[in-house]
């Protein structure tokens, strides 16, 4: 499985790696980190990723902007928003995100899981 993490906070990227390694078998996935939507699009092509996990609040391109642009060419990649806010909930439905989970859930011993439909190929 090819996965992209897009978050402008390097600490959040580390946490995502830890969380995802606990959730999946690390030998079966390849994860690429990106600190912005612009950086992501410098490498993105349709079909490259099976799953994209994105922060909503980033620099010039928000996670929702990135998701909209992804959907212009790739309708199959699974999108998951990782956020501290519910402000963009309606937009997450617009881009057919398969899930959303809260960054604050990383503080608890049992973080809110990503549905298996998002992580299973």
């Amino acid at each position: 499985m090819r996965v992209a993490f897009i978050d402008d906070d390097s600490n959040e990227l580390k946490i995502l790696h830890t969380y995802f390694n606990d959730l999946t078998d690390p030998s079966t996935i390849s994860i690429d980190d990106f600190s912005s939507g612009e950086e992501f699009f410098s490498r993105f092509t349709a079909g490259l990723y099976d799953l994209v996990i994105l922060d909503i609040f980033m620099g010039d391109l928000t996670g929702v902007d990135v998701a909209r642009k992804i959907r212009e060419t790739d309708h199959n990649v699974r999108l998951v928003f990782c956020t501290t806010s519910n402000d963009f909930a309606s937009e997450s439905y617009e881009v057919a995100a398969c899930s959303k989970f809260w960054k604050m859930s990383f503080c608890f011993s049992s973080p809110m899981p990503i549905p298996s439909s998002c992580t299973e190929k």
Side-chain angles (χ1 to χ4, degrees):
M1 173 184 272
R2 295 281 322 249
V3 180
F5 293 157
I6 310 171
D7 198 311
D8 57 352
D9 184 333
S10 61
N11 289 326
E12 295 292 340
L13 289 170
K14 289 176 190 173
I15 292 168
L16 275 170
H17 274 275
T18 300
Y19 178 62
F20 214 78
N21 286 336
D22 289 344
L23 180 70
T24 63
D25 176 359
S27 68
T28 64
I29 61 173
S30 171
I31 300 173
D32 295 328
D33 292 341
F34 300 96
S35 61
S36 69
E38 294 84 358
E39 181 186 7
F40 171 77
F41 285 118
S42 73
R43 292 199 28 216
F44 173 76
T45 58
L48 179 61
Y49 294 104
D50 301 298
L51 175 65
V52 176
I53 298 180
L54 11 87
D55 182 18
I56 288 183
F57 297 106
M58 295 187 289
D60 292 334
L61 287 175
T62 68
V64 173
D65 295 332
V66 172
R68 285 182 179 135
K69 191 166 181 176
I70 289 170
R71 284 291 182 239
E72 289 176 9
T73 59
D74 193 330
H75 301 283
N76 296 318
V77 65
R78 292 175 219 105
L79 302 175
V80 174
F81 288 109
C82 181
T83 185
T84 57
S85 170
N86 202 25
D87 291 346
F88 291 91
S90 61
E91 287 88 343
S92 70
Y93 297 112
E94 174 187 322
V95 295
C98 65
S99 186
K100 174 176 51 179
F101 64 101
W102 308 110
K103 285 186 178 183
M104 68 186 88
S105 70
F106 293 132
C107 300
F108 302 109
S109 59
S110 295
M112 186 184 329
I114 298 172
S116 61
S117 62
C118 293
T119 58
E120 293 174 349
K121 188 166 183 172

